[in-house]
Amino acid sequence: ATAAQDETKHDPSEASSVVETSLYTVVDGQLLDSDTYRGFIVHRNMCARCHGSFGQGMIGANLAESLVNLSREDFESIVANGRNAMPPHSGNTQVMEALDNLYAYYKARADGAIGEVRPRVIE
């Protein structure tokens, strides 16, 4: 995508699809509320090297599939304490302070509200 495309803003007067839950809001499958977008940014910076650019899985689990059945409590426990080859992140303040944001982003992926796209924030 070019810089001009990244700066494109969503025009609310245009017809759009909106998925809004208590966790996240997604417009047109790629525009996220600011909290969920923060989850994407933390994922990209801290989790993508193992879980893929969009949580689709690589050497780490496919989080879009895992969060279909994984409870919030299990998600938090795995992030904090690690699992299999995944190290614990309980001492990583950037990850732990963004647990709500990460969970919202992964649930939006698991629910199919957002696909394997580079999201932008709703403006």
Side-chain angles (χ1 to χ4, degrees):
T2 66
Q5 289 171 320
D6 288 341
E7 293 173 8
T8 303
K9 293 185 179 178
H10 176 68
D11 181 352
S13 67
E14 296 176 5
S16 61
S17 65
V18 178
V19 178
E20 189 166 0
T21 72
S22 59
L23 289 175
Y24 60 81
T25 300
V26 178
V27 177
D28 294 334
Q30 66 179 355
L31 301 173
L32 308 179
D33 63 272
S34 60
D35 289 334
T36 305
Y37 185 77
R38 179 177 180 226
F40 166 73
I41 295 299
V42 172
H43 165 79
R44 184 186 68 192
N45 293 339
M46 305 302 296
C47 312
R49 97 182 83 176
C50 294
H51 292 284
S53 299
F54 309 108
Q56 76 275 18
M58 286 179 30
I59 61 171
N62 179 326
L63 299 172
E65 290 178 0
S66 296
L67 269 284
V68 170
N69 297 312
L70 197 64
S71 73
R72 174 65 187 254
E73 295 76 23
D74 288 341
F75 168 77
E76 290 181 5
S77 176
I78 292 167
V79 172
N81 303 312
R83 181 181 196 178
N84 301 324
M86 180 176 152
H89 291 285
S90 57
N92 184 326
T93 56
Q94 185 177 1
V95 170
M96 296 309 290
E97 289 177 359
L99 271 179
D100 290 342
N101 310 109
L102 284 165
Y103 186 76
Y105 173 68
Y106 296 142
K107 281 301 285 182
R109 289 276 294 116
D111 294 347
I114 182 170
E116 291 182 14
V117 299
R118 185 182 189 291
R120 294 176 293 141
V121 69
I122 298 169
E123 303 204 21

